[in-house]
Amino acid sequence: MKKLVCFVLASMLAVPAAFAQDRYIADNLFTYMHSGPSNQFRIIGSVDAGDKVKLVSTNRDTGYTEIEDSKGRKGWVESRFVTNRESMALRLPKLEKELAEVKEKLANARSNADQEKAGLIDSLETRNSQINELEQGYSDMSKQLSASQEEVRNLRAKLDTQKDDLLLKYFMYGGGVAGIGLLLGLILPHIIPRRKRSPSGWA
């Protein structure tokens, strides 16, 4: 029986320590630690705002919480001054670090965006220059094509004219030859004397 009672007492003493949880003293506060769960007990020390403490137990009737500070001292403080949120003294460096990281990422993002923007502008200018060159080349080719087509039309017209002239010359030459032949056929018999026929009929 004694062993059972000793075991129960040991368990009761061990439970608060086993269930001790991290807590923080609220910011902007300086409070005293009492030896018992009310301000009627003697003051055994003080804790500063933002200090990290261990929650040992809570007395809901008196509104006091037993804590253990970083020095290993145990005492009671008002429960309303104990919070589960980290103090600003601990959170501020983390927030400042996070803010610095965010600012650095933002600066890098802006730098990358500026570089990408500059690259896009350069690429756009290069494309515009290439398009202008292509348009100029197309315009020159169109002009050359128009000039070539005009030259081909002129050459065809000249060729047709030459064909007509050649045909006219052929007709003129043919008519001249025919006319000369006709004149010769009419004139030569009168110019060349005819031979007299012999009585036998031979010339």
Side-chain angles (χ1 to χ4, degrees):
M1 184 69 179
K2 289 182 178 180
K3 290 182 179 181
L4 181 60
V5 171
C6 291
F7 178 75
V8 171
L9 290 175
S11 299
M12 290 176 66
L13 292 174
V15 166
F19 285 94
Q21 300 176 6
D22 291 338
R23 289 292 186 273
Y24 302 89
I25 300 301
D27 291 315
N28 303 322
L29 174 69
F30 173 88
T31 187
Y32 292 106
M33 294 174 62
H34 297 270
S35 59
S38 75
N39 59 4
Q40 300 300 319
F41 291 84
R42 66 183 181 86
I43 296 173
I44 60 175
S46 64
V47 286
D48 294 326
D51 282 354
K52 185 177 182 179
V53 295
K54 293 285 186 181
L55 174 65
V56 179
S57 63
T58 299
N59 189 322
R60 297 184 181 279
D61 295 333
T62 61
Y64 270 72
T65 296
E66 186 179 12
I67 60 170
E68 181 181 349
D69 65 8
S70 59
K71 298 177 182 179
R73 299 178 301 174
K74 286 187 177 181
W76 294 79
V77 297
E78 290 186 62
S79 298
R80 61 192 179 94
F81 295 144
V82 180
T83 176
N84 58 1
R85 296 183 62 189
E86 285 186 339
S87 67
M88 287 301 298
L90 295 177
R91 282 186 290 164
L92 186 60
K94 295 180 181 179
L95 293 174
E96 289 178 345
K97 182 180 178 181
E98 291 178 1
L99 180 61
E101 291 176 352
V102 170
K103 286 182 177 179
E104 183 178 0
K105 290 180 180 178
L106 180 60
N108 292 334
R110 285 179 177 173
S111 177
N112 292 335
D114 291 340
Q115 291 178 0
E116 291 180 0
K117 181 180 178 181
L120 290 174
I121 291 175
D122 292 340
S123 177
L124 181 61
E125 291 177 352
T126 301
R127 295 290 176 84
N128 288 336
S129 177
Q130 292 175 350
I131 290 172
N132 291 333
E133 290 177 359
L134 290 173
E135 288 178 348
Q136 185 63 38
Y138 176 75
S139 178
D140 294 340
M141 290 176 64
S142 297
K143 291 178 181 179
Q144 292 177 1
L145 179 60
S146 298
S148 298
Q149 290 175 345
E150 182 66 23
E151 186 177 0
V152 168
R153 285 193 294 269
N154 293 334
L155 290 173
R156 284 180 177 174
K158 189 175 181 180
L159 182 60
D160 292 339
T161 302
Q162 288 179 351
K163 285 182 179 179
D164 294 339
D165 293 342
L166 185 59
L167 289 173
L168 182 58
K169 287 180 182 180
Y170 284 155
F171 285 127
M172 290 178 65
Y173 290 151
V177 171
I180 292 171
L182 181 60
L183 288 174
L184 289 176
L186 293 174
I187 295 172
L188 285 178
H190 296 287
I191 295 175
I192 299 173
R194 295 183 179 180
R195 294 182 181 180
K196 293 181 179 182
R197 294 186 179 181
S198 61
S200 61
W202 295 94

